[in-house]
C-alpha cells in the first residue's frame, strides 16, 4: 500500500504528464496553424481534422483539469437524486 507521500507524488506526476501534453498540443496547434487551415480548406473529408483535434484537446484538457483538482484535494460535492432524500 502506498504511503500518503507516495500517493501525492503519483498525483503530481499525473498532473505534470497531462499538463505537458496539453502545453505540447497547444504549441503544436499554434506552430502548424496555417498549414492546418490550408489543408482543411481543400475540402472533401479534411473537415474532420479540426473536429478530431477538438476532441483530442477536450480529452487531454479534461484529464489535466481533473488531475489538477484531485492533486489540490478539491472534490465535487456528491448530491443525491431528489427522490432519494432520506
Amino acid at each position: 500500500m502506498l504511503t500518503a507521500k507516495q500517493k501525492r507524488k503519483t498525483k503530481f506526476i499525473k498532473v505534470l504528464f497531462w499538463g505537458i501534453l496539453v502545453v505540447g498540443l497547444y504549441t503544436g496547434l499554434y506552430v502548424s496553424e496555417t498549414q492546418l487551415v490550408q489543408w482543411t480548406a481543400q475540402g472533401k473529408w479534411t473537415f474532420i481534422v479540426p473536429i478530431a483535434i477538438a476532441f483530442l484537446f477536450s480529452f487531454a484538457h479534461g484529464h489535466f483539469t481533473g488531475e489538477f483538482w484531485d492533486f489540490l484535494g478539491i472534490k465535487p460535492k456528491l448530491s443525491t437524486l431528489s427522490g432519494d432524500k432520506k
Side-chain angles (χ1 to χ4, degrees):
M1 187 154 177
L2 296 175
T3 65
K5 187 175 182 179
Q6 290 171 327
K7 287 181 184 179
R8 185 144 173 92
K9 184 177 180 181
T10 302
K11 288 179 183 181
F12 178 73
I13 290 171
K14 287 181 182 180
V15 169
L16 194 61
F17 169 77
W18 287 107
I20 290 171
L21 181 65
V22 168
V23 168
L25 286 172
Y26 277 109
T27 303
L29 184 64
Y30 179 76
V31 168
S32 62
E33 173 193 6
T34 55
Q35 180 183 6
L36 181 65
V37 169
Q38 290 173 353
W39 191 54
T40 56
Q42 292 176 0
K44 298 184 184 178
W45 288 95
T46 57
F47 72 91
I48 292 177
V49 174
I51 296 169
I53 290 172
F55 278 115
L56 180 63
F57 272 71
S58 177
F59 179 79
H61 194 272
H63 273 282
F64 168 72
T65 304
E67 295 296 340
F68 175 76
W69 292 121
D70 190 38
F71 177 73
L72 293 180
I74 299 173
K75 301 281 184 185
K77 180 180 177 183
L78 298 176
S79 64
T80 59
L81 298 175
S82 59
D84 292 343
K85 291 183 179 178
K86 293 181 181 180

